[in-house]
Amino acid sequence: AAYDMNYANHLTKVTQTLDEGGNKAVIDITYDKYGNIKQKTLPANSKGQRMFYKYLYDRDYNMYVERVEDAIVMVYH
């Protein structure tokens, strides 16, 4: 695991070795300036594609999730 030690020790990456060949599954997490999760990107599938979720927060308090978008919405939006 990797953490952003400059900002409240946020978890930014989780890496897991899958097999003896060294294949890895990686999850990436990014944060906005308020410390909210901005995007979570999941491990790649067999085609190398990575699903992600983007979180959008309210404009008044910047803490309540108002919408979640994923890679599928972004492709067809």
Side-chain angles (χ1 to χ4, degrees):
Y3 296 86
D4 180 352
M5 302 306 277
N6 295 318
Y7 195 80
N9 298 330
H10 283 155
L11 179 65
T12 58
K13 183 178 292 241
V14 177
T15 305
Q16 183 175 5
T17 303
L18 300 175
D19 56 29
E20 293 176 7
N23 291 311
K24 298 183 185 312
V26 178
I27 296 172
D28 293 301
I29 303 168
T30 58
Y31 299 86
D32 64 17
K33 65 182 180 180
Y34 302 104
N36 301 314
I37 293 176
K38 186 166 86 172
Q39 182 170 317
K40 180 178 178 181
T41 306
L42 302 178
N45 64 14
S46 61
K47 296 179 182 178
Q49 301 163 320
R50 296 182 73 192
M51 179 67 164
F52 63 80
Y53 297 98
K54 285 188 177 187
Y55 301 90
L56 299 129
Y57 297 85
D58 70 286
R59 294 181 187 201
D60 295 326
Y61 300 103
N62 298 300
M63 61 190 287
Y64 301 110
V65 176
E66 287 190 336
R67 182 179 169 134
V68 178
E69 296 178 347
D70 61 23
I72 297 168
V73 169
M74 300 303 287
V75 171
Y76 297 107
H77 194 18

